[in-house]
Amino acid sequence: MADSLRRLINNESCRILQEKLESWYKDYHINSCDQNLNRCCEIIEMNSMIQGQLFTILNQTAREGGHYAGVETIKSRLLPWLGTCFSSTTSGRPFETSLSLIQESIEKERQLREFASTRNHELQQLEKELNSTRLQLTLVQQDLKASQAQEESALRNLDRLNDYEQQVQILKDEIAILGAQKSVLHSRLARSRSPSPRRCQSRSPSPLPLRSCSPGRARLTNAARHARLVARFSEIYTQERLDAQNLLRTYIDDLEIVQRIIYVAAVESFHAAKMAFRQFKMRVRKTLSLTYSGPESLEDTVLDYIVRHEDLYDVQASVNEVIRAMNINPKISFPPEVDFIMISSLIRELCRVAFSMQTLVPPLDIAFGADGELFNESKYRRSYDSDFTAPLVVYHVWPALMENDSIIVKGEAVSKRGALWSRRSRSKSRSRSRSMSPILSHSANPSRTLLPRSRSPSPIRSGSPRPALNTSTTSDCLGPCAFT
């Protein structure tokens, strides 16, 4: 703009225009009409050139002020002047049209500015809402992460709780074992302080080898024997059962079959021991009832005698009976080279414990279990490979120990969904019957170990008829021969 103005000054157009106007004024009255018109046109042309330069300077000045700078000045001064100037010399139609167009364009520009301002404001509002939404999303993600962390922590705490429960159960078992050992030590100490019973040949007319002991021993030692037998039952579960399971697994790959075999052995051991206890108790009661006269009842005297003479129990006969029953059990199957005599040590310990448990008041027994029964949390623990949401028992691993109707030691069972009937059909298809005799066959392998022989010709195992009781015969032993 400064350069254009400088050129306008240097050209001296305004000064020349002024001089021409003054010269025309002097000669106006002496000039002809054509001469005056020519002079006017010349001055108009020069004036238009100056106006063109001024309008150029006006545009440059307005452009330097910005897009909307100088609008108010143009509206207030230039447009009215242009309208007045051109309307006074002409009809004003084209100039009015131009003015209206300019005004419309200015109005449109104003509307555009307002629309742009409104759009900018809306965009700012949208950005604020977007930022708020992003913030809320971030908070939700943080809450989700916190919830996941809490869930993981809860699962870890649940695992720790299960571990703690297992440790507590192990400690309880150890405490029970220590209590039983303490009771045994106290019993041994009491026996060492009292006169020891002597085994001798008796020529008394009494058929029973009665030992010197204070009456009521069964009731006096009932609590100690109860704790010792419960601890021993738990010890068999944790030691002898696992030993038998590892031994059977060398011949049988299916863990379910092995666990079924051990469970059936436990059930049959208790059954055989209870039957032997009943027979033993009947013989003792029958014999003592002939000559007994004492302050205590006959039942207490019979129980005391059995407690003092538990070593007379023919445990091998019960072992043979258990193996005979297992050979014909349809729920278990095994390869031909395997015989249940392999786990005879487990069966023998179970029979001894079961027999001793019948001398308690009240006696202890195992709970009845059947495949497909409803799982009872107070009766069994689930095996590690069980489905913890399954409601039914597929098969049992170890029986529960009961006193009257109360569970004092939980058993172990396996629960799985949809496997009960398939397992039953598979077990029936592969089971086979065995010989009724518990003695191993010599045809398969001559070098295999046979069942140990019994200590004496017990009437339970002997096939000969039982002879009558002879009170005049001298008793030379304290074993089962005293009742034959």
Side-chain angles (χ1 to χ4, degrees):
M1 185 274 296
D3 294 338
S4 300
L5 183 58
R6 181 176 52 79
R7 284 194 298 271
L8 180 61
I9 295 172
N10 291 334
N11 290 333
E12 298 180 354
S13 301
C14 294
R15 186 178 58 80
I16 296 173
L17 179 63
Q18 182 65 29
E19 291 177 355
K20 285 184 178 294
L21 287 173
E22 291 177 356
S23 175
W24 183 30
Y25 178 73
K26 292 177 180 181
D27 298 333
Y28 181 79
H29 297 286
I30 61 175
N31 291 332
S32 62
C33 181
D34 292 332
Q35 288 178 348
N36 286 330
L37 291 175
N38 289 327
R39 287 286 186 92
C40 184
C41 289
E42 182 180 357
I43 291 171
I44 291 173
E45 290 176 357
M46 184 174 292
N47 186 38
S48 64
M49 292 175 61
I50 294 172
Q51 287 181 353
Q53 293 178 0
L54 290 175
F55 275 107
T56 301
I57 293 171
L58 179 65
N59 291 332
Q60 292 178 355
T61 302
R63 192 179 300 112
E64 289 177 357
H67 187 69
Y68 300 107
V71 174
E72 297 297 331
T73 303
I74 293 173
K75 289 170 59 179
S76 61
R77 298 194 61 181
L78 180 62
L79 293 179
W81 175 77
L82 289 175
T84 305
C85 179
F86 288 104
S87 61
S88 62
T89 56
T90 62
S91 61
R93 192 66 180 175
F95 298 101
E96 291 179 358
T97 304
S98 300
L99 181 60
S100 63
L101 292 175
I102 292 172
Q103 290 178 351
E104 290 178 358
S105 64
I106 293 173
E107 184 66 21
K108 288 181 179 180
E109 289 179 357
R110 184 184 63 79
Q111 293 177 358
L112 288 174
R113 288 197 304 271
E114 293 178 355
F115 179 74
S117 177
T118 305
R119 294 290 294 178
N120 290 332
H121 184 266
E122 291 178 355
L123 288 175
Q124 290 177 359
Q125 292 294 332
L126 290 175
E127 287 180 356
K128 290 181 180 179
E129 293 178 359
L130 180 60
N131 293 331
S132 177
T133 304
R134 289 176 179 173
L135 180 60
Q136 292 178 359
L137 180 60
T138 303
L139 294 176
V140 170
Q141 290 177 350
Q142 292 177 356
D143 293 340
L144 180 60
K145 290 181 180 179
S147 301
Q148 292 177 351
Q150 291 178 358
E151 184 178 359
E152 292 176 357
S153 177
L155 291 174
R156 289 193 297 268
N157 292 334
L158 182 59
D159 295 337
R160 292 177 181 176
L161 180 61
N162 294 332
D163 295 338
Y164 291 155
E165 289 180 352
Q166 293 178 359
Q167 293 176 3
V168 168
Q169 185 63 36
I170 293 174
L171 291 176
K172 288 181 179 179
D173 295 341
E174 292 179 354
I175 291 173
I177 293 173
L178 292 176
Q181 292 177 354
K182 181 180 178 181
S183 301
V184 172
L185 292 176
H186 282 299
S187 300
R188 291 178 179 175
L189 181 61
R191 287 197 300 268
S192 64
R193 291 178 180 178
S194 61
S196 60
R198 295 176 298 173
R199 293 189 177 183
C200 60
Q201 294 181 351
S202 174
R203 297 185 180 273
S204 172
S206 175
L208 294 177
L210 296 176
R211 300 176 184 178
S212 60
C213 184
S214 60
R217 176 182 174 84
R219 295 188 178 276
L220 291 175
T221 61
N222 187 76
R225 290 185 294 111
H226 182 280
R228 177 178 59 83
L229 291 173
V230 171
R232 180 55 184 153
F233 182 79
S234 301
E235 185 179 3
I236 292 175
Y237 169 74
T238 57
Q239 294 183 6
E240 279 83 350
R241 179 187 68 89
L242 294 180
D243 294 340
Q245 178 174 305
N246 294 332
L247 181 61
L248 290 174
R249 286 299 299 272
T250 59
Y251 297 91
I252 304 173
D253 295 332
D254 194 344
L255 179 60
E256 176 183 343
I257 297 178
V258 173
Q259 292 178 338
R260 283 180 178 271
I261 290 174
I262 295 176
Y263 177 77
V264 171
V267 173
E268 294 295 341
S269 297
F270 267 80
H271 178 71
K274 289 188 294 183
M275 292 297 295
F277 178 80
R278 294 191 190 100
Q279 296 176 1
F280 191 22
K281 186 176 181 180
M282 290 172 60
R283 294 198 303 272
V284 173
R285 183 189 297 109
K286 182 178 181 180
T287 304
L288 291 179
S289 62
L290 299 176
T291 59
Y292 175 74
S293 61
E296 295 184 354
S297 64
L298 179 61
E299 291 296 325
D300 291 341
T301 305
V302 170
L303 192 60
D304 289 342
Y305 180 86
I306 296 175
V307 170
R308 294 196 304 267
H309 300 83
E310 286 188 24
D311 55 338
L312 299 180
Y313 166 49
D314 190 0
V315 65
Q316 186 59 47
S318 296
V319 172
N320 296 339
E321 185 63 28
V322 171
I323 295 177
R324 186 181 301 111
M326 293 177 65
N327 284 330
I328 60 175
N329 194 300
K331 292 185 178 181
I332 53 178
S333 60
F334 42 90
E337 65 271 11
V338 180
D339 202 312
F340 294 129
I341 195 175
M342 298 175 59
I343 58 173
S344 59
S345 60
L346 171 65
I347 298 173
R348 182 176 293 104
E349 293 301 319
L350 286 170
C351 290
R352 287 175 178 171
V353 170
F355 185 88
S356 298
M357 285 181 176
Q358 307 311 306
T359 64
L360 298 175
V361 181
L364 301 182
D365 198 0
I366 57 175
F368 173 77
D371 294 348
E373 67 174 323
L374 188 65
F375 185 85
N376 189 350
E377 293 287 349
S378 62
K379 188 176 179 181
Y380 297 107
R381 291 190 299 268
R382 296 181 192 265
S383 297
Y384 68 94
D385 56 345
S386 297
D387 185 354
F388 285 80
T389 61
L392 300 181
V393 174
V394 179
Y395 66 93
H396 299 78
V397 178
W398 192 252
L401 190 62
M402 297 182 62
E403 182 177 1
N404 290 332
D405 295 331
S406 301
I407 302 295
I408 59 176
V409 177
K410 284 186 178 183
E412 182 178 349
V414 177
S415 60
K416 291 183 179 179
R417 292 184 178 273
L420 181 63
W421 301 111
S422 62
R423 290 177 183 271
R424 284 183 175 179
S425 60
R426 183 177 62 184
S427 176
K428 289 181 180 180
S429 63
R430 66 189 178 189
S431 63
R432 63 183 181 88
S433 61
R434 295 293 298 268
S435 173
M436 291 294 291
S437 174
I439 308 299
L440 297 178
S441 174
H442 293 276
S443 60
N445 189 353
S447 62
R448 295 176 62 186
T449 306
L450 300 179
L451 282 173
R453 296 182 179 179
S454 61
R455 298 177 298 175
S456 61
S458 173
I460 301 177
R461 291 173 291 168
S462 176
S464 59
R466 183 180 304 172
L469 184 65
N470 187 2
T471 58
S472 63
T473 305
T474 301
S475 177
D476 296 333
C477 65
L478 300 178
C481 59
F483 304 103
T484 57

